[in-house]
């Protein structure tokens, strides 16, 4: 069980696999008023930065599930590095359909809503693990401005304009599902640049070390095109944020 290898290559040096910075995760933890001992479930936990830093800074406990063996190993190493390995557990597995054995105070899917077939399905899945009065966290893209054409949307790695909503519509959609939006923290341009540009150096170093690999041609093509694509499309049209929800 693993994610496509191209993502393992391009994001192998990332601690955070979305446009958030460490400062943004710290802000999110602070505005949620996390209490020591709060149990957090993180579906699609990546390299574990959210759970590990929250365990260190706010005293939470939790479990992260991720399909990538590499990212799961990195999460475990990060927990040891920060001295929180007894507070958080990372499991290599399929987050789709995963329900916690015991109810949690925070159920999160920060940037992997495909596990539930989209936002609505992911919220429904997370709710199954949540205790009464708990908080759901969803990380999701939105349009900063609607792309003028479908080609521009595809340039943002969307399948179509209809894949995402503008921010007011996204916030309204949570209400339509029966949830209050109680907090949000949005990625900024620096976060986007750090997330995307870090891939380019990783790809270049990987190509130097693996010139004869079966994926070398694909990685070379991506490295050649990605800086311009990102600047022309994603950087101009796509936002991203984490939204905190409570059932009405």
């Amino acid at each position: 069980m693993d994610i496509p290898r191209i993502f393992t290559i391009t994001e192998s040096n990332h601690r955070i696999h979305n446009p958030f910075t460490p400062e943004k995760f710290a802000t999110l933890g602070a505005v949620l008023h996390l209490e020591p001992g709060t149990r957090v479930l993180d579906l699609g936990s990546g390299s574990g930065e959210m759970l590990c830093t929250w365990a260190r800074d706010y005293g939470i406990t939790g479990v992260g599930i991720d399909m990538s063996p590499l990212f799961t190993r990195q999460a475990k190493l990060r927990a040891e590095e920060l001295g929180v390995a007894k507070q958080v557990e990372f499991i290599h597995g399929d987050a789709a359909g995963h329900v916690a054995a015991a109810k949690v105070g925070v159920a999160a899917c920060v940037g992997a809503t495909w596990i539930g077939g989209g936002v609505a399905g992911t919220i429904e899945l997370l709710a199954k693990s949540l205790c009464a009065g708990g908080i759901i966290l969803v990380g999701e893209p939105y349009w900063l401005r609607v792309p003028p054409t479908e080609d521009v949307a595809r340039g943002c790695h969307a399948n179509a304009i209809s894949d995402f909503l503008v921010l007011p519509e996204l916030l309204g959609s949570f209400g339509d599902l029966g949830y209050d939006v109680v907090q949000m923290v949005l990625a900024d341009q620096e976060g986007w640049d750090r997330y995307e540009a870090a891939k380019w150096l990783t790809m270049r170093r990987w190509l130097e070390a693996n010139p004869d690999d079966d994926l070398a041609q694909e990685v070379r093509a991506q490295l050649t095109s990605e800086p311009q694509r990102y600047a022309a499309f994603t950087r101009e049209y796509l936002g991203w944020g984490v939204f905190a929800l409570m059932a009405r």
Side-chain angles (χ1 to χ4, degrees):
M1 183 186 299
D2 203 348
I3 60 175
R5 186 167 174 242
I6 187 67
F7 295 110
T8 300
I9 292 171
T10 60
E11 298 194 21
S12 59
N13 289 318
H14 282 55
R15 280 186 175 170
I16 300 173
H17 302 276
N18 56 56
F20 256 22
T21 60
E23 293 77 16
K24 291 289 184 178
F25 270 130
T27 296
L28 180 61
V31 299
L32 292 176
H33 305 291
L34 292 170
E35 296 289 339
T38 299
R39 189 159 180 82
V40 180
L41 174 68
D42 188 7
L43 300 184
S45 51
S47 295
E49 192 71 3
M50 185 178 79
L51 284 183
C52 289
T53 55
W54 284 4
R56 178 195 63 191
D57 297 340
Y58 305 112
I60 64 97
T61 65
V63 175
I65 315 292
D66 200 271
M67 286 183 67
S68 168
L70 172 62
F71 297 164
T72 303
R73 287 195 300 272
Q74 291 178 165
K76 292 177 180 179
L77 291 172
R78 184 64 168 153
E80 293 176 1
E81 178 186 2
L82 296 185
V84 297
K86 293 183 179 180
Q87 294 169 246
V88 291
E89 177 185 7
F90 294 99
I91 299 170
H92 172 230
D94 188 354
H98 181 89
V99 178
K103 299 292 186 181
V104 300
V106 177
C109 179
V110 181
T113 55
W114 52 266
I115 67 171
V119 172
T122 299
I123 290 174
E124 182 180 1
L125 172 61
L126 292 170
K128 295 176 181 178
S129 296
L130 199 66
C131 66
I135 291 175
I136 286 175
L137 297 179
V138 175
E140 184 69 5
Y142 59 89
W143 294 124
L144 294 171
R145 51 194 175 106
V146 178
T149 67
E150 296 291 352
D151 283 343
V152 172
R154 287 189 285 270
C156 300
H157 289 328
N159 293 313
I161 294 173
S162 60
D163 279 5
F164 306 127
L165 303 171
V166 293
L167 184 58
E169 293 174 350
L170 178 58
L171 296 174
S173 73
F174 297 133
D176 294 340
L177 295 171
Y179 288 85
D180 289 322
V181 181
V182 297
Q183 268 295 352
M184 71 177 186
V185 178
L186 304 181
D188 57 21
Q189 200 64 75
E190 176 66 12
W192 270 111
D193 289 349
R194 298 286 60 75
Y195 171 58
E196 293 289 345
K199 301 175 188 178
W200 310 336
L201 181 58
T202 298
M203 285 190 282
R204 176 56 189 262
R205 296 300 190 216
W206 184 90
L207 283 168
E208 291 171 352
N210 300 275
D212 300 320
D213 191 280
D214 290 344
L215 274 186
Q217 186 173 353
E218 180 179 347
V219 173
R220 163 42 62 192
Q222 189 162 318
L223 175 57
T224 300
S225 63
E226 272 298 286
Q228 185 173 2
R229 183 212 61 79
Y230 166 65
F233 299 110
T234 300
R235 202 174 194 272
E236 293 298 313
Y237 291 95
L238 201 61
W240 195 88
V242 179
F243 306 92
L245 315 175
M246 296 181 71
R248 290 177 177 169

